[in-house]
Amino acid sequence: MISTLLKTMRLPFLLLTPVCIFLAASLVSYEQINVDFMVLFLALVAALFAHISVNAFNEYLDFTSGLDAMTKRTPFSGGSGALIETPQMKNWVLFTSLLTLLVTITIGLFFSYFRGPMIFVYGFLGVFLVLAYTRWLNRFPLACLIAPGLGFGTVMVTGGHFALSGTHTIASICLGLMVFFLVNNLLLLNQFPDIEADKKVGRNHLAIRYGVETASNIYGFFAIFSIISLLFPVLTGALPQSVLLSLLPISASIYCLLGAKKYGKALGQHTNYLAANTAITISSPALISILLALS
């Protein structure tokens, strides 16, 4: 029972969440605003539980829709397959999703008291994404494309910065945008191996609607936009020049783009590209966090 629940939480993928929260915290510290460590802890718990909730809800819905049975899993796509092995656990997985979401909402209510009604904007967006991503947003190419980035970039980075500091800054908005584009790209390539299976259950994301060539081009544009999002606050003096070192891992997007264009739907057979894309998404904001702390 416990092993099934842990698998459906997709623990290895949860690493992105503390990276986003600590990016927000590092920026607050760099801006010489005191970080309340209890507030930081609550923000981290809320973000982690929201991530667990969307993962578990995705596992439940993919199993009940029949998608799990059709998906060819890779280490980076296709879900865990845990409910295929133990289908009797499906209601427990749904319960886990709802319980962790309730914890997130409860912490969000504390932040609304602590920081005011602006937190409701981030909180509503976050809860909406958890509940709507798998069930509805996957049926609309643009919504499916930007939903992951909104969750991690807008809610966790920009919203996390606001929860910790009570302010919005050029840097917090731009770093949120950088993560927005990187995370959108992460999920975009991870959808390539699942295109045929996704079609059968009514999904209609970008790679299905417009094809892998267009999706690959969007990946390239988003990689460029992530670079611009970092360059702007550096050029305006909102961030130190040292954070430009994080452009080194982002530049590896060229490698992933070439792989996507070469292999298309068969990208799942070449997981080195998916692994590199995951490394880019995690290492770039993590490196910025370290560089801000050192600054």
Side-chain angles (χ1 to χ4, degrees), residues 1 21 50 66 80 117 127 188 204 223 229 238 249 277 294:
M1 175 178 175
I21 295 300
S80 71
V127 172
L188 180 59
N204 192 29
S229 298
N277 197 33
L294 293 176

Side-chain angles (χ1 to χ4, degrees), residues 2-29:
I2 298 299
S3 62
T4 297
L5 292 178
L6 291 175
K7 286 180 181 178
T8 58
M9 291 178 186
R10 303 176 188 171
L11 299 182
F13 295 95
L14 297 182
L15 179 60
L16 182 58
T17 295
V19 166
C20 290
I21 295 300
F22 287 125
L23 175 59
S26 297
L27 177 59
V28 171
S29 180

Side-chain angles (χ1 to χ4, degrees), residues 80-124:
S80 71
L83 286 177
I84 293 291
E85 301 169 2
T86 53
Q88 67 275 15
M89 289 293 297
K90 67 175 185 178
N91 289 335
W92 281 103
V93 172
L94 178 60
F95 176 75
T96 299
S97 174
L98 296 176
L99 180 62
T100 49
L101 182 59
L102 180 61
V103 173
T104 297
I105 292 172
T106 302
I107 295 174
L109 291 174
F110 160 76
F111 276 114
S112 68
Y113 171 79
F114 186 62
R115 291 298 185 197
M118 182 63 197
I119 283 292
F120 277 116
V121 177
Y122 292 109
F124 177 82

Side-chain angles (χ1 to χ4, degrees), residues 161-238:
H161 176 276
F162 181 80
L164 293 170
S165 68
T167 63
H168 290 106
T169 63
I170 290 174
S172 73
I173 293 170
C174 288
L175 288 181
L177 282 173
M178 186 200 75
V179 173
F180 168 84
F181 290 119
L182 290 178
V183 175
N184 287 339
N185 271 354
L186 174 65
L187 274 293
L188 180 59
L189 286 199
N190 285 351
Q191 290 167 345
F192 278 31
D194 300 332
I195 288 174
E196 295 305 321
D198 285 346
K199 283 181 183 178
K200 295 177 182 178
V201 296
R203 290 188 178 178
N204 192 29
H205 51 67
L206 192 80
I208 292 175
R209 172 72 70 86
Y210 300 107
V212 292
E213 183 66 23
T214 297
S216 298
N217 290 336
I218 295 295
Y219 177 92
F221 284 124
F222 274 15
I224 293 171
F225 292 152
S226 70
I227 293 171
I228 294 172
S229 298
L230 184 61
L231 286 175
F232 181 78
V234 172
L235 292 175
T236 58

